[in-house]
Amino acid sequence: MITHKQLSLADIFEEDKPQFLTLLEQHIDLSEYIPVTFYNHFYASTGRTRTYPLTAFLWAFIIQKIFTIPTDQLLLVFLLYSKPLRDFCGFKKVPDASKITRFKQDFLPDLQSVFDNLVDVTEPICQAIDAAKAHMTIFDSSGIEAFVQENNPKYAIPCLFKP
């Protein structure tokens, strides 16, 4: 029987103090996990300065995964209404949805390398804590949409009415 309780925002914010965010700040130096090539790619000369720092986007995506926030739009709502979360990520103002989309499209291979680096660090820690439970680690994929045409009813209906 599983005796663990799912983490909720109420568990980590006591009296407006973001204890969970404080723990992340104290124990994770995100710059250690960002490859130099990602920094160079992100800060390459584009003719204008970047409004949002690289680490702000990365922290936002990490928070999105930790709290299983299913959509970028919902992540932006969390950032808009939570000043501690916005400050933790490093956003002075909340980016619009197109900035998030463009960031993911332009830097997808770089993002993959950062998350691979994080897995390389966290997996041995999980193994050291409890190897049996580390093999049971799962990722909630319920918020991920599959891009499969045959599962979409719009594509099945025309086939039913063919002569």
Side-chain angles (χ1 to χ4, degrees):
M1 168 162 261
I2 298 175
T3 59
H4 299 295
K5 181 180 134 190
Q6 183 172 350
L7 184 66
S8 72
L9 285 176
D11 296 332
I12 60 165
F13 285 95
E14 293 178 5
E15 300 174 17
D16 295 328
K17 184 180 180 201
Q19 293 177 336
F20 180 72
L21 300 179
T22 303
L23 286 171
L24 286 176
E25 279 179 332
Q26 290 173 350
H27 298 286
I28 297 176
D29 181 7
L30 192 57
S31 62
E32 291 179 14
Y33 307 105
I34 304 171
V36 175
T37 55
F38 195 177
Y39 276 114
N40 293 340
H41 189 200
F42 184 77
Y43 291 110
S45 178
T46 59
R48 57 178 122 152
T49 59
R50 296 267 183 196
T51 306
Y52 308 102
L54 173 61
T55 54
F57 283 111
L58 296 176
W59 274 123
F61 295 143
I62 290 169
I63 293 296
Q64 184 179 20
K65 294 300 178 198
I66 289 172
F67 293 121
T68 59
I69 301 171
T71 64
D72 292 342
Q73 193 62 43
L74 188 57
L75 172 65
L76 294 175
V77 170
F78 273 84
L79 290 170
L80 182 66
Y81 289 109
S82 174
K83 183 169 175 21
L85 188 59
R86 190 171 51 248
D87 291 344
F88 169 77
C89 290
F91 289 116
K92 291 184 175 141
K93 65 177 189 170
V94 179
D96 58 8
S98 65
K99 292 276 189 213
I100 299 286
T101 301
R102 193 172 316 121
F103 181 85
K104 286 182 175 181
Q105 289 172 347
D106 292 347
F107 303 108
L108 184 62
D110 298 311
L111 281 170
Q112 182 66 43
S113 66
V114 170
F115 280 95
D116 287 345
N117 288 345
L118 285 171
V119 169
D120 290 344
V121 170
T122 57
E123 201 274 333
I125 294 169
C126 292
Q127 290 290 338
I129 292 171
D130 189 333
K133 288 182 182 174
H135 289 293
M136 296 186 329
T137 303
I138 61 169
F139 177 74
D140 181 8
S141 61
S142 59
I144 300 173
E145 289 185 33
F147 297 105
V148 180
Q149 287 184 345
E150 57 265 21
N151 289 346
N152 189 337
K154 290 185 280 186
Y155 289 95
I157 292 171
C159 296
L160 296 175
F161 299 108
K162 283 187 177 180

